Amino acid sequence: MAVTQWSPEFVKELLPAAEKTALLYHLSYLCLANFPNLERIIRSRAVETQLLFGSSDATMLKCILTSQNLVESLFPMLVKAVEKNKPMLAVKFLEKARAWIKDIITDVEKIVEKYDLHNKDVASSTSDVIKEKDDTEKNIKKQDQELKQAESALNTLKSLHKTTIEELAETEKKINSKSQEIQEFARSITQTSRGLGIFSALVPFIGLIVKSIYDAVHDPENIARMKALEAELNIFIANKTALKQKEWQTQLQLIDAQMKAAKASFDQSSIPNPIHLDEVQSSLTKIQAILIQLKYFWLSVSEMLDYLKKKTFVGEDLIDDLVDLKDEFIESIEVAKQAWSSFGAGCKKASVIFKLQTKDAYKFLEVSPSSMSKEEWEKEYQSVKKRLENIDPPKSVPSSVTPAICQ
C-alpha cells in the first residue's frame, strides 16, 4: 500500500463504502424475513456498525481540525519565522503540529483495531446463517425448480464476481508498486533541489510534488523518466477503472440474483445464502484499508515535518540559504495551504456521511421484515436496490494521455 497519497482527496473513497454497508445490511435483513433468530443477529451487527461509524466520524473530525490548524496556525507561523529569521519559533510550532498528528495516529490505530474485531463478528454472523441454513435444508427433501434455477444463476455470478475481484486486487498491487517507484524517483529529485525539498516537506501529496518537478526541473533525462513512469501508471489506472466498472455491474447482478433466490426460498422455508453479509464484510474491509492508509499518511507527514525542522530550521548551515529561498518557501506555503484545505474538505465529506449513517441509515431495523406483506417486501427491496445503483460507480476509463497527477 502506497503510504503517500496522490491526491489530497483520497479519503473520499470512504463515502461509497459507508453508504453501501447500510444498504447491504438492509438487503440481508430483508432476505432473512421469517427467520427471527437470524433477524436478531443482523440487527445486532448493524447496530454495532452504526456505533463504529460514530467513532469513525470522531476520527474524521480530528483530521479536519488538524488540517485547519496547519493552515491557520502552523503555516502562518512558519512564514513569520522565515520573514523574521527566527528558526526556533518555527521549531516550536513544528513540534506542536507533530503532537497533534501523534494524537491522530493513536486514534486511527484504535479505530482500525475496532474495525478488525467487528469484521470478525460479521464473519461469525455469516457462519451462523450458513449453519442454520444447512440445518433447515436437511429437512427439505425436494426444492422447487425455480429455487434451483435461481441458486444456479447465483453461483455462476458469484464465481464471475470472485474472479473480477481477484483481477482488481492484482491491478491494485501494480498501481501501488508503480506509485511507490514514482514516489521514490520524485523524492530523489527533490533532494537535489532545496526549493523542491522544502515544497515536498510541506505538501505530502505526491501528485502535486510531481507537478512541481515538471514546473521546476529542466533536466530532459529526469523529465523523460518521470513521464515514462506516469504512462505506465496510467495504463494500470485505466485497467483498474475498467475492472471496477465490471465489478460494480457484476455486484448489482449478484444482488438481484440473490434477491430472486431469497424470494424463491421463502415458499420452501429455506434460508437464502448470506451473500450480502459477505459484501458487508468487503465494505468494512475497504473502510479499514482506507483508515490504515490514513494512519500511514499522517506518519509520513510527521516524518516530513521532522525533516523540515532538522534540515531547515535547526541546521545552522541552511538558515542563511533559507533567507535566499524566502520567496520559494512562501510560495510553497501557499500551495500547501490549498492542498491541506482540500484534504480537510475531503475529511468533512467523510464526516457528513458517517454522521448520516449513524443518524438515519439504519432506521429500517425498526420494522421486522417478517411483518411485511409480499407487496411491501418487494417495494422495500426495489427502493434499496435503486439507492445501491445510485451510489457513484466509476463512470468511464480515463484517457491514457491524461497525467496521473491530474486524476
Side-chain angles (χ1 to χ4, degrees):
M1 188 172 293
V3 296
T4 302
Q5 304 307 313
W6 278 89
S7 166
E9 297 183 345
F10 72 92
V11 289
K12 69 183 181 183
E13 291 188 32
L14 286 167
L15 277 61
E19 288 179 313
K20 279 172 65 177
T21 302
L23 294 172
L24 290 165
Y25 265 128
H26 197 159
L27 290 179
S28 297
Y29 200 53
L30 288 172
C31 279
L32 297 174
N34 302 323
F35 302 99
N37 184 46
L38 298 179
E39 276 186 38
R40 283 193 293 273
I41 290 174
I42 299 299
R43 188 184 297 111
S44 172
R45 296 296 175 239
V47 169
E48 288 172 12
T49 300
Q50 195 175 16
L51 293 172
L52 188 56
F53 280 1
S55 300
S56 302
D57 175 40
T59 301
M60 285 297 108
L61 183 60
K62 279 200 171 182
C63 291
I64 294 165
L65 293 175
T66 300
S67 301
Q68 288 177 344
N69 284 335
L70 290 174
V71 172
E72 296 172 7
S73 299
L74 176 65
F75 294 153
M77 289 308 302
L78 290 180
V79 170
K80 188 177 290 186
V82 170
E83 289 176 341
K84 295 187 176 182
N85 197 22
K86 292 185 176 180
M88 296 317 296
L89 182 64
V91 169
K92 175 184 173 183
F93 275 87
L94 285 168
E95 279 304 310
K96 186 177 286 189
R98 292 187 74 218
W100 300 333
I101 291 166
K102 184 178 179 181
D103 191 34
I104 285 181
I105 291 167
T106 301
D107 268 23
V108 174
E109 284 177 341
K110 289 178 181 177
I111 200 74
V112 166
E113 187 176 336
K114 287 180 181 179
Y115 271 94
D116 190 49
L117 293 171
H118 180 54
N119 219 342
K120 288 175 182 175
D121 288 342
V122 176
S124 174
S125 299
T126 304
S127 300
D128 291 340
V129 175
I130 291 171
K131 183 178 183 303
E132 189 151 340
K133 172 180 170 60
D134 290 343
D135 291 343
T136 302
E137 289 183 352
K138 285 176 184 177
N139 300 320
I140 301 174
K141 294 182 179 179
K142 185 178 180 180
Q143 285 187 311
D144 182 84
Q145 187 64 26
E146 182 185 352
L147 178 56
K148 287 183 179 179
Q149 290 174 350
E151 292 196 335
S152 175
L154 181 61
N155 289 333
T156 301
L157 284 167
K158 281 171 69 176
S159 177
L160 177 60
H161 191 239
K162 182 173 180 260
T163 301
T164 306
I165 287 176
E166 289 170 353
E167 291 175 0
L168 195 52
E170 188 60 35
T171 303
E172 194 77 59
K173 286 181 184 177
K174 292 177 181 177
I175 288 174
N176 287 334
S177 176
K178 188 58 62 177
S179 295
Q180 193 71 32
E181 187 178 351
I182 293 174
Q183 176 180 312
E184 289 168 1
F185 183 59
R187 296 292 180 199
S188 72
I189 294 175
T190 63
Q191 286 173 8
T192 64
S193 166
R194 283 189 179 148
L196 285 174
I198 291 170
F199 181 88
S200 67
L202 293 167
V203 182
F205 308 107
I206 192 66
L208 295 175
I209 293 171
V210 172
K211 186 177 185 302
S212 72
I213 287 172
Y214 283 141
D215 293 340
V217 174
H218 304 292
D219 183 333
E221 188 175 333
N222 281 341
I223 294 297
R225 174 64 177 152
M226 184 63 78
K227 287 189 174 180
L229 289 170
E230 279 200 272
E232 293 171 18
L233 178 63
N234 281 330
I235 291 171
F236 294 143
I237 289 173
N239 290 342
K240 176 186 173 181
T241 305
L243 283 168
K244 284 184 77 174
Q245 288 177 318
K246 181 180 177 182
E247 190 272 337
W248 178 254
Q249 293 304 318
T250 307
Q251 188 179 60
L252 290 176
Q253 292 172 23
L254 195 56
I255 287 168
D256 205 37
Q258 167 64 2
M259 298 310 285
K260 287 177 182 175
K263 285 189 282 187
S265 67
F266 289 158
D267 294 335
Q268 296 288 333
S269 297
S270 176
I271 299 171
N273 287 312
I275 192 168
H276 298 120
L277 281 181
D278 292 338
E279 294 301 326
V280 166
Q281 286 178 253
S282 296
S283 292
L284 291 172
T285 300
K286 175 70 174 176
I287 294 170
Q288 184 182 14
I290 296 168
L291 290 172
I292 290 171
Q293 281 190 321
L294 189 64
K295 170 191 168 183
Y296 284 120
F297 166 75
W298 283 114
L299 281 169
S300 70
V301 171
S302 179
E303 289 170 5
M304 285 188 287
L305 292 180
D306 189 49
Y307 174 88
L308 184 68
K309 181 190 78 172
K310 290 177 180 176
K311 298 295 183 183
T312 304
F313 292 105
V314 176
E316 293 294 329
D317 56 322
L318 292 181
I319 291 174
D320 292 337
D321 292 333
L322 189 59
V323 173
D324 297 332
L325 290 170
K326 182 191 294 184
D327 290 342
E328 291 182 26
F329 185 91
I330 292 174
E331 185 179 338
S332 296
I333 289 280
E334 288 306 311
V335 176
K337 282 183 179 179
Q338 294 170 24
W340 278 103
S341 294
S342 180
F343 173 75
C347 291
K348 281 182 183 177
K349 290 178 183 175
S351 174
V352 167
I353 286 296
F354 281 130
K355 275 189 175 70
L356 288 174
Q357 296 297 306
T358 304
K359 181 183 176 184
D360 297 325
Y362 292 84
K363 284 188 174 180
F364 65 87
L365 295 172
E366 297 172 4
V367 179
S368 171
S370 58
S371 66
M372 296 179 183
S373 65
K374 286 186 178 181
E375 292 76 16
E376 289 171 330
W377 189 97
E378 180 67 27
K379 183 179 179 181
E380 190 81 0
Y381 161 62
Q382 291 297 338
S383 171
V384 178
K385 182 185 173 186
K386 186 174 181 180
R387 277 181 282 162
L388 261 176
E389 290 171 346
N390 288 335
I391 292 178
D392 192 23
K395 295 291 192 303
S396 62
V397 178
S399 167
S400 60
V401 298
T402 303
I405 57 172
C406 298
Q407 303 285 330

Short mmCIF file of all heavy atoms in Angstrom, two decimals, residues 184-231:
data_model
loop_
_atom_site.label_atom_id
_atom_site.label_comp_id
_atom_site.label_asym_id
_atom_site.label_seq_id
_atom_site.Cartn_x
_atom_site.Cartn_y
_atom_site.Cartn_z
N GLU A 184 9.53 7.37 -5.05
CA GLU A 184 10.95 7.31 -4.73
C GLU A 184 11.77 8.13 -5.72
O GLU A 184 12.73 8.82 -5.35
CB GLU A 184 11.41 5.85 -4.72
CG GLU A 184 10.87 5.07 -3.52
CD GLU A 184 11.08 3.57 -3.64
OE1 GLU A 184 11.67 3.14 -4.67
OE2 GLU A 184 10.63 2.83 -2.74
N PHE A 185 11.40 8.06 -7.01
CA PHE A 185 12.12 8.83 -8.02
C PHE A 185 11.91 10.33 -7.80
O PHE A 185 12.86 11.13 -7.89
CB PHE A 185 11.66 8.42 -9.43
CG PHE A 185 12.40 9.11 -10.54
CD1 PHE A 185 13.77 8.99 -10.66
CD2 PHE A 185 11.72 9.90 -11.45
CE1 PHE A 185 14.47 9.63 -11.67
CE2 PHE A 185 12.40 10.54 -12.48
CZ PHE A 185 13.78 10.41 -12.59
N ALA A 186 10.67 10.72 -7.48
CA ALA A 186 10.38 12.14 -7.23
C ALA A 186 11.15 12.63 -6.02
O ALA A 186 11.72 13.74 -6.04
CB ALA A 186 8.88 12.32 -7.01
N ARG A 187 11.21 11.84 -4.95
CA ARG A 187 11.95 12.24 -3.75
C ARG A 187 13.44 12.41 -4.06
O ARG A 187 14.10 13.30 -3.53
CB ARG A 187 11.78 11.21 -2.64
CG ARG A 187 10.35 11.07 -2.12
CD ARG A 187 9.87 12.28 -1.39
NE ARG A 187 8.51 12.10 -0.90
CZ ARG A 187 7.72 13.09 -0.55
NH1 ARG A 187 8.12 14.34 -0.63
NH2 ARG A 187 6.49 12.87 -0.13
N SER A 188 13.96 11.51 -4.91
CA SER A 188 15.39 11.61 -5.26
C SER A 188 15.69 12.92 -5.99
O SER A 188 16.76 13.50 -5.82
CB SER A 188 15.82 10.41 -6.12
OG SER A 188 15.29 10.52 -7.43
N ILE A 189 14.73 13.39 -6.79
CA ILE A 189 14.92 14.66 -7.50
C ILE A 189 14.83 15.83 -6.53
O ILE A 189 15.62 16.77 -6.59
CB ILE A 189 13.87 14.81 -8.63
CG1 ILE A 189 14.10 13.75 -9.71
CG2 ILE A 189 13.93 16.20 -9.25
CD1 ILE A 189 13.04 13.76 -10.80
N THR A 190 13.87 15.77 -5.59
CA THR A 190 13.71 16.89 -4.65
C THR A 190 14.93 17.04 -3.74
O THR A 190 15.21 18.14 -3.26
CB THR A 190 12.44 16.73 -3.79
OG1 THR A 190 12.55 15.55 -2.98
CG2 THR A 190 11.20 16.66 -4.65
N GLN A 191 15.65 15.94 -3.51
CA GLN A 191 16.82 16.02 -2.64
C GLN A 191 17.95 16.83 -3.26
O GLN A 191 18.86 17.29 -2.57
CB GLN A 191 17.31 14.60 -2.30
CG GLN A 191 16.41 13.89 -1.31
CD GLN A 191 16.79 12.43 -1.11
OE1 GLN A 191 17.83 11.99 -1.60
NE2 GLN A 191 15.97 11.69 -0.38
N THR A 192 17.92 16.99 -4.58
CA THR A 192 18.97 17.76 -5.27
C THR A 192 18.59 19.23 -5.41
O THR A 192 19.35 20.02 -5.94
CB THR A 192 19.24 17.17 -6.67
OG1 THR A 192 18.06 17.30 -7.47
CG2 THR A 192 19.63 15.70 -6.57
N SER A 193 17.38 19.60 -4.97
CA SER A 193 16.92 20.98 -5.07
C SER A 193 16.34 21.41 -3.73
O SER A 193 15.36 20.85 -3.27
CB SER A 193 15.84 21.10 -6.16
OG SER A 193 15.16 22.33 -6.08
N ARG A 194 16.94 22.42 -3.10
CA ARG A 194 16.47 22.84 -1.78
C ARG A 194 15.06 23.42 -1.87
O ARG A 194 14.26 23.26 -0.96
CB ARG A 194 17.43 23.85 -1.18
CG ARG A 194 18.67 23.15 -0.62
CD ARG A 194 19.55 24.06 0.18
NE ARG A 194 20.68 23.30 0.69
CZ ARG A 194 21.88 23.81 0.89
NH1 ARG A 194 22.10 25.07 0.62
NH2 ARG A 194 22.85 23.07 1.36
N GLY A 195 14.78 24.12 -2.96
CA GLY A 195 13.43 24.68 -3.11
C GLY A 195 12.38 23.59 -3.17
O GLY A 195 11.36 23.64 -2.48
N LEU A 196 12.65 22.55 -3.99
CA LEU A 196 11.71 21.42 -4.09
C LEU A 196 11.68 20.62 -2.79
O LEU A 196 10.66 20.06 -2.42
CB LEU A 196 12.10 20.52 -5.26
CG LEU A 196 11.78 21.02 -6.66
CD1 LEU A 196 12.36 20.08 -7.71
CD2 LEU A 196 10.27 21.15 -6.86
N GLY A 197 12.83 20.58 -2.10
CA GLY A 197 12.88 19.85 -0.83
C GLY A 197 11.96 20.46 0.19
O GLY A 197 11.25 19.77 0.92
N ILE A 198 11.95 21.80 0.27
CA ILE A 198 11.04 22.49 1.19
C ILE A 198 9.60 22.24 0.79
O ILE A 198 8.73 21.95 1.62
CB ILE A 198 11.35 24.01 1.20
CG1 ILE A 198 12.71 24.26 1.87
CG2 ILE A 198 10.26 24.79 1.92
CD1 ILE A 198 13.22 25.67 1.72
N PHE A 199 9.33 22.34 -0.52
CA PHE A 199 7.96 22.12 -1.02
C PHE A 199 7.47 20.73 -0.65
O PHE A 199 6.34 20.56 -0.17
CB PHE A 199 7.95 22.29 -2.55
CG PHE A 199 6.60 22.12 -3.17
CD1 PHE A 199 5.74 23.20 -3.31
CD2 PHE A 199 6.17 20.88 -3.63
CE1 PHE A 199 4.48 23.05 -3.88
CE2 PHE A 199 4.92 20.71 -4.20
CZ PHE A 199 4.08 21.81 -4.33
N SER A 200 8.32 19.72 -0.85
CA SER A 200 7.89 18.33 -0.59
C SER A 200 7.70 18.07 0.90
O SER A 200 6.95 17.16 1.27
CB SER A 200 8.91 17.34 -1.16
OG SER A 200 10.15 17.43 -0.47
N ALA A 201 8.37 18.86 1.77
CA ALA A 201 8.17 18.69 3.21
C ALA A 201 6.85 19.30 3.67
O ALA A 201 6.27 18.87 4.67
CB ALA A 201 9.33 19.33 3.97
N LEU A 202 6.36 20.30 2.95
CA LEU A 202 5.12 20.97 3.32
C LEU A 202 3.90 20.37 2.64
O LEU A 202 2.79 20.46 3.14
CB LEU A 202 5.20 22.46 2.96
CG LEU A 202 6.21 23.29 3.76
CD1 LEU A 202 6.41 24.65 3.10
CD2 LEU A 202 5.75 23.46 5.20
N VAL A 203 4.09 19.77 1.46
CA VAL A 203 2.99 19.23 0.65
C VAL A 203 3.19 17.72 0.53
O VAL A 203 4.00 17.25 -0.26
CB VAL A 203 2.95 19.88 -0.75
CG1 VAL A 203 1.78 19.33 -1.55
CG2 VAL A 203 2.86 21.39 -0.64
N PRO A 204 2.47 16.92 1.31
CA PRO A 204 2.71 15.48 1.35
C PRO A 204 2.02 14.69 0.24
O PRO A 204 1.99 13.47 0.29
CB PRO A 204 2.14 15.09 2.71
CG PRO A 204 1.03 16.05 2.92
CD PRO A 204 1.47 17.34 2.28
N PHE A 205 1.44 15.37 -0.75
CA PHE A 205 0.68 14.68 -1.79
C PHE A 205 1.55 14.54 -3.03
O PHE A 205 1.91 15.53 -3.68
CB PHE A 205 -0.62 15.43 -2.09
CG PHE A 205 -1.41 15.71 -0.85
CD1 PHE A 205 -1.49 16.98 -0.30
CD2 PHE A 205 -2.05 14.67 -0.18
CE1 PHE A 205 -2.19 17.23 0.85
CE2 PHE A 205 -2.75 14.91 0.99
CZ PHE A 205 -2.83 16.18 1.50
N ILE A 206 1.91 13.31 -3.35
CA ILE A 206 2.93 13.05 -4.35
C ILE A 206 2.54 13.59 -5.73
O ILE A 206 3.40 14.01 -6.51
CB ILE A 206 3.25 11.53 -4.42
CG1 ILE A 206 4.52 11.28 -5.25
CG2 ILE A 206 2.09 10.73 -4.95
CD1 ILE A 206 5.75 11.83 -4.63
N GLY A 207 1.25 13.61 -6.04
CA GLY A 207 0.83 14.14 -7.33
C GLY A 207 1.23 15.59 -7.52
O GLY A 207 1.69 15.99 -8.59
N LEU A 208 1.09 16.40 -6.45
CA LEU A 208 1.47 17.80 -6.52
C LEU A 208 2.99 17.97 -6.59
O LEU A 208 3.50 18.90 -7.21
CB LEU A 208 0.91 18.56 -5.32
CG LEU A 208 -0.62 18.65 -5.25
CD1 LEU A 208 -1.07 19.31 -3.96
CD2 LEU A 208 -1.17 19.43 -6.44
N ILE A 209 3.71 17.05 -5.94
CA ILE A 209 5.17 17.09 -6.00
C ILE A 209 5.65 16.81 -7.42
O ILE A 209 6.55 17.48 -7.93
CB ILE A 209 5.78 16.09 -5.00
CG1 ILE A 209 5.47 16.53 -3.56
CG2 ILE A 209 7.28 15.96 -5.19
CD1 ILE A 209 5.84 15.53 -2.50
N VAL A 210 5.05 15.82 -8.07
CA VAL A 210 5.41 15.50 -9.45
C VAL A 210 5.14 16.71 -10.35
O VAL A 210 5.95 17.06 -11.21
CB VAL A 210 4.64 14.27 -9.96
CG1 VAL A 210 4.87 14.06 -11.45
CG2 VAL A 210 5.07 13.02 -9.19
N LYS A 211 4.01 17.37 -10.13
CA LYS A 211 3.68 18.55 -10.93
C LYS A 211 4.72 19.65 -10.72
O LYS A 211 5.14 20.32 -11.66
CB LYS A 211 2.29 19.07 -10.56
CG LYS A 211 1.79 20.22 -11.45
CD LYS A 211 0.38 20.62 -11.08
CE LYS A 211 -0.16 21.66 -12.04
NZ LYS A 211 0.68 22.88 -12.10
N SER A 212 5.15 19.82 -9.47
CA SER A 212 6.16 20.86 -9.19
C SER A 212 7.48 20.52 -9.85
O SER A 212 8.23 21.41 -10.25
CB SER A 212 6.34 21.02 -7.68
OG SER A 212 7.02 19.92 -7.12
N ILE A 213 7.79 19.23 -9.98
CA ILE A 213 9.01 18.81 -10.66
C ILE A 213 8.96 19.21 -12.13
O ILE A 213 9.92 19.74 -12.69
CB ILE A 213 9.23 17.29 -10.51
CG1 ILE A 213 9.66 16.97 -9.07
CG2 ILE A 213 10.26 16.77 -11.50
CD1 ILE A 213 9.71 15.49 -8.75
N TYR A 214 7.80 18.99 -12.76
CA TYR A 214 7.65 19.39 -14.16
C TYR A 214 7.84 20.91 -14.32
O TYR A 214 8.41 21.37 -15.31
CB TYR A 214 6.26 19.01 -14.69
CG TYR A 214 6.10 17.54 -15.01
CD1 TYR A 214 4.92 16.87 -14.73
CD2 TYR A 214 7.12 16.82 -15.60
CE1 TYR A 214 4.76 15.53 -15.02
CE2 TYR A 214 6.98 15.47 -15.90
CZ TYR A 214 5.80 14.83 -15.60
OH TYR A 214 5.65 13.51 -15.91
N ASP A 215 7.37 21.66 -13.33
CA ASP A 215 7.47 23.12 -13.41
C ASP A 215 8.87 23.63 -13.14
O ASP A 215 9.29 24.66 -13.69
CB ASP A 215 6.50 23.77 -12.41
CG ASP A 215 5.04 23.53 -12.77
OD1 ASP A 215 4.77 23.22 -13.95
OD2 ASP A 215 4.18 23.62 -11.88
N ALA A 216 9.63 22.91 -12.26
CA ALA A 216 10.90 23.46 -11.78
C ALA A 216 12.15 22.78 -12.33
O ALA A 216 13.22 23.38 -12.32
CB ALA A 216 10.92 23.38 -10.25
N VAL A 217 12.03 21.54 -12.78
CA VAL A 217 13.21 20.79 -13.22
C VAL A 217 13.29 20.80 -14.74
O VAL A 217 12.29 20.59 -15.43
CB VAL A 217 13.16 19.33 -12.69
CG1 VAL A 217 14.29 18.52 -13.27
CG2 VAL A 217 13.21 19.34 -11.17
N HIS A 218 14.48 21.03 -15.26
CA HIS A 218 14.63 21.13 -16.71
C HIS A 218 15.59 20.08 -17.27
O HIS A 218 16.02 20.17 -18.42
CB HIS A 218 15.12 22.53 -17.09
CG HIS A 218 14.22 23.62 -16.57
ND1 HIS A 218 12.93 23.81 -17.03
CD2 HIS A 218 14.41 24.53 -15.58
CE1 HIS A 218 12.36 24.81 -16.39
NE2 HIS A 218 13.24 25.26 -15.48
N ASP A 219 15.93 19.08 -16.45
CA ASP A 219 16.80 18.00 -16.93
C ASP A 219 15.98 17.07 -17.82
O ASP A 219 15.06 16.40 -17.34
CB ASP A 219 17.33 17.23 -15.71
CG ASP A 219 18.32 16.13 -16.11
OD1 ASP A 219 18.21 15.63 -17.25
OD2 ASP A 219 19.18 15.78 -15.29
N PRO A 220 16.26 17.00 -19.12
CA PRO A 220 15.45 16.19 -20.06
C PRO A 220 15.39 14.72 -19.65
O PRO A 220 14.36 14.07 -19.82
CB PRO A 220 16.18 16.35 -21.39
CG PRO A 220 16.99 17.60 -21.24
CD PRO A 220 17.36 17.69 -19.81
N GLU A 221 16.49 14.20 -19.09
CA GLU A 221 16.52 12.79 -18.72
C GLU A 221 15.55 12.50 -17.58
O GLU A 221 14.80 11.52 -17.61
CB GLU A 221 17.95 12.40 -18.31
CG GLU A 221 18.13 10.89 -18.08
CD GLU A 221 19.57 10.53 -17.79
OE1 GLU A 221 20.47 11.26 -18.24
OE2 GLU A 221 19.77 9.50 -17.12
N ASN A 222 15.53 13.38 -16.56
CA ASN A 222 14.62 13.20 -15.43
C ASN A 222 13.16 13.35 -15.86
O ASN A 222 12.29 12.57 -15.44
CB ASN A 222 14.92 14.21 -14.33
CG ASN A 222 16.12 13.81 -13.49
OD1 ASN A 222 16.52 12.65 -13.48
ND2 ASN A 222 16.72 14.78 -12.81
N ILE A 223 12.89 14.35 -16.70
CA ILE A 223 11.52 14.57 -17.17
C ILE A 223 11.03 13.38 -17.99
O ILE A 223 9.90 12.91 -17.83
CB ILE A 223 11.44 15.87 -18.01
CG1 ILE A 223 11.72 17.09 -17.13
CG2 ILE A 223 10.07 16.00 -18.67
CD1 ILE A 223 10.72 17.33 -16.03
N ALA A 224 11.91 12.87 -18.88
CA ALA A 224 11.54 11.72 -19.72
C ALA A 224 11.25 10.49 -18.85
O ALA A 224 10.28 9.76 -19.10
CB ALA A 224 12.65 11.42 -20.71
N ARG A 225 12.09 10.28 -17.83
CA ARG A 225 11.90 9.13 -16.95
C ARG A 225 10.58 9.25 -16.18
O ARG A 225 9.82 8.28 -16.06
CB ARG A 225 13.07 9.05 -15.97
CG ARG A 225 12.94 8.00 -14.88
CD ARG A 225 12.91 6.61 -15.43
NE ARG A 225 12.85 5.61 -14.39
CZ ARG A 225 12.31 4.41 -14.52
NH1 ARG A 225 11.78 4.05 -15.69
NH2 ARG A 225 12.30 3.56 -13.53
N MET A 226 10.29 10.46 -15.68
CA MET A 226 9.05 10.67 -14.93
C MET A 226 7.83 10.43 -15.82
O MET A 226 6.86 9.79 -15.42
CB MET A 226 9.02 12.08 -14.36
CG MET A 226 7.80 12.37 -13.48
SD MET A 226 7.73 11.34 -12.00
CE MET A 226 8.92 12.19 -10.97
N LYS A 227 7.87 10.95 -17.05
CA LYS A 227 6.74 10.77 -17.96
C LYS A 227 6.54 9.30 -18.33
O LYS A 227 5.41 8.83 -18.47
CB LYS A 227 6.93 11.62 -19.21
CG LYS A 227 6.72 13.11 -18.94
CD LYS A 227 6.69 13.93 -20.22
CE LYS A 227 6.33 15.38 -19.90
NZ LYS A 227 6.29 16.23 -21.10
N ALA A 228 7.65 8.57 -18.47
CA ALA A 228 7.54 7.14 -18.79
C ALA A 228 6.89 6.38 -17.63
O ALA A 228 6.02 5.52 -17.84
CB ALA A 228 8.93 6.57 -19.08
N LEU A 229 7.29 6.72 -16.41
CA LEU A 229 6.69 6.08 -15.23
C LEU A 229 5.20 6.39 -15.13
O LEU A 229 4.38 5.52 -14.83
CB LEU A 229 7.41 6.53 -13.96
CG LEU A 229 8.83 6.00 -13.74
CD1 LEU A 229 9.49 6.72 -12.58
CD2 LEU A 229 8.82 4.50 -13.50
N GLU A 230 4.85 7.65 -15.41
CA GLU A 230 3.43 8.04 -15.36
C GLU A 230 2.61 7.33 -16.42
O GLU A 230 1.46 6.95 -16.18
CB GLU A 230 3.31 9.55 -15.54
CG GLU A 230 3.56 10.33 -14.28
CD GLU A 230 2.96 11.71 -14.38
OE1 GLU A 230 3.64 12.61 -14.87
OE2 GLU A 230 1.79 11.87 -13.98
N ALA A 231 3.20 7.17 -17.62
CA ALA A 231 2.49 6.47 -18.70
C ALA A 231 2.18 5.04 -18.28
O ALA A 231 1.07 4.52 -18.52
CB ALA A 231 3.32 6.49 -19.98
#
